[in-house]
Amino acid sequence: MIIFKKKRDLQTWLTQQKSQGKSIGFAPTMGALHEGHLSLLQTSKKENDITLTSIFVNPTQFNDPKDFAKYPITLENDIYMLEQTGCDVLFLPAVDEIYPPNEPKGEQYNLGYLETVLEGKFRPGHFQGVCQVMYRLLSIFQPHNLYMGQKDYQQCMVIKRLIQLADFSCKLHICPTLREKEGLAMSSRNLRLTAEERKKVLAIYITLLYLKKEYSQQAFSLLKENAVNYLLEAGFVKIDYIELANADDLTLLDKWDDKTPVVALIAAFMGEIRLIDNMVLTGSISF
Ligand code: AMP
């Protein structure tokens, strides 16, 4: 695996590869890698000549500075895992490489409704930060294919919109959420949970399964009330949201009809660690 720290070096290398007709697949990360991240790279490897990843903990997407300060960093292990997976290239930039001090930053994107709901509502500025870094990464790499996880459902929608707004030519592929054996969605933040908390947070997955089983049988208000109570009893200290939404545009729903595709989404705090997860309840992702 080749590691690039400077975007200019990487751009030169990529231009050479593209001139030989090679296709480029890209899966960006913030490191502390797990099997979920690697599954994106494995999919990219099957579909592209060159698979590229980045590790960059993007300061502009953390609305909570404590969360940024405590974000897990496991670089040596990450590089080992990437080598084992057969990743071709790792981009490992410093903050100044992405946000040069002499260049304008803080640009805003018109994300419309997406920024007012769910993650957009509870993490003000988060998606602007995601777009700021992704705009830069996609501009540098100009990949043919981009791989992102369903785990961050709303983020996938935001990036789809960014691709349209910026007229990038890459195709977004949304890959399934990888889970631990018992069902906990893999996440870098799980590293910060104690053994005891790791058992308790399984309640999120159990809640999603409950919603999947019951959504067509009961009023959504009752389902959500039961779900909130269950998570609180399980030891979650704060629940940002438990929602059932239109899977195509995230409009919040209060009842089921047999036409609208439904996704259930949860964000809740175990201690100070905020976890998110989701499950598509009807059909498959089609946005
Ligand atoms: P992150 O490092 O958290 O920014 O995640 C980098 C990419 O990995 C994003 O596209 C995530 O949606 C994806 N990802 C994170 N967790 C999982 C998971 N459990 N399964 C599949 N993809 C994931």
Side-chain angles (χ1 to χ4, degrees):
M1 182 173 70
I2 314 175
I3 301 180
F4 289 95
K5 293 193 166 183
K6 299 288 174 199
K7 57 190 177 205
R8 186 170 299 166
D9 296 342
L10 175 53
Q11 261 167 335
T12 307
W13 188 85
L14 282 173
T15 305
Q16 282 165 3
Q17 302 301 316
K18 286 183 194 165
S19 71
Q20 295 166 26
K22 294 193 180 160
S23 58
I24 313 289
F26 173 42
T29 82
M30 297 204 298
L33 299 184
H34 49 67
E35 293 294 324
H37 294 116
L38 301 185
S39 71
L40 306 182
L41 299 171
Q42 281 151 359
T43 307
S44 168
K45 274 181 72 70
K46 282 189 210 132
E47 298 175 358
N48 298 277
D49 299 313
I50 291 168
T51 289
L52 175 65
T53 191
S54 56
I55 296 180
F56 180 65
V57 185
N58 173 36
T60 71
Q61 74 186 65
F62 285 83
N63 53 317
D64 175 358
K66 275 197 296 215
D67 192 25
F68 175 60
K70 291 191 180 167
Y71 201 83
I73 293 176
T74 58
L75 187 55
E76 220 171 290
N77 193 48
D78 291 351
I79 291 174
Y80 177 76
M81 288 169 87
L82 292 173
E83 292 274 12
Q84 295 296 308
T85 309
C87 181
D88 301 299
V89 181
L90 166 62
F91 182 47
L92 193 59
V95 173
D96 281 0
E97 189 66 12
I98 297 293
Y99 300 108
N102 53 346
E103 284 182 17
K105 44 185 162 291
E107 74 278 10
Q108 299 290 298
Y109 296 85
N110 178 7
L111 302 176
Y113 170 73
L114 281 178
E115 220 182 353
T116 66
V117 70
L118 303 165
E119 292 300 283
K121 175 173 167 189
F122 285 92
R123 300 188 67 188
H126 167 65
F127 285 135
Q128 293 298 334
V130 169
C131 286
Q132 287 157 7
V133 70
M134 283 302 293
Y135 179 85
R136 286 162 172 78
L137 292 174
L138 292 176
S139 303
I140 299 168
F141 298 146
Q142 303 279 345
H144 300 95
N145 293 296
L146 174 65
Y147 297 85
M148 304 196 78
Q150 184 197 328
K151 161 85 175 22
D152 297 282
Y153 195 93
Q154 194 172 1
Q155 174 172 272
C156 291
M157 277 191 180
V158 164
I159 296 305
K160 182 133 201 221
R161 184 161 172 96
L162 174 69
I163 290 171
Q164 285 160 354
L165 287 171
D167 208 15
F168 288 125
S169 58
C170 70
K171 181 168 183 324
L172 174 65
H173 303 259
I174 301 169
C175 303
T177 302
L178 250 74
R179 299 178 179 280
E180 306 288 353
K181 260 203 309 292
E182 317 76 39
L184 171 63
M186 292 181 182
S187 165
S188 307
R189 287 189 171 81
N190 295 349
L191 288 175
R192 294 176 55 201
L193 297 167
T194 64
E196 194 57 30
E197 287 171 335
R198 256 184 111 91
K199 286 186 204 145
K200 293 182 185 171
V201 297
L202 250 189
I204 291 191
Y205 181 61
I206 294 168
T207 303
L208 290 170
L209 292 178
Y210 164 74
L211 296 172
K212 187 168 173 83
K213 184 156 165 275
E214 298 291 333
Y215 75 94
S216 60
Q217 309 295 325
Q218 297 189 50
F220 284 1
S221 55
L222 180 67
L223 289 178
K224 289 195 279 184
E225 195 182 311
N226 290 343
V228 166
N229 290 336
Y230 180 67
L231 287 189
L232 291 175
E233 274 166 31
F236 281 87
V237 292
K238 185 171 151 219
I239 296 162
D240 275 352
Y241 57 80
I242 299 180
E243 288 292 354
L244 295 136
N246 182 324
D248 287 341
D249 61 13
L250 291 184
T251 311
L252 302 184
L253 302 172
D254 52 20
K255 60 178 187 314
W256 184 64
D257 62 63
D258 55 4
K259 289 178 215 69
T260 312
V262 186
V263 59
L265 306 108
I266 297 180
F269 284 84
M270 178 58 67
E272 58 178 24
I273 300 160
R274 187 174 185 277
L275 298 176
I276 60 169
D277 201 351
N278 66 79
M279 191 176 280
V280 177
L281 307 186
T282 55
S284 53
I285 298 178
S286 56
F287 64 78

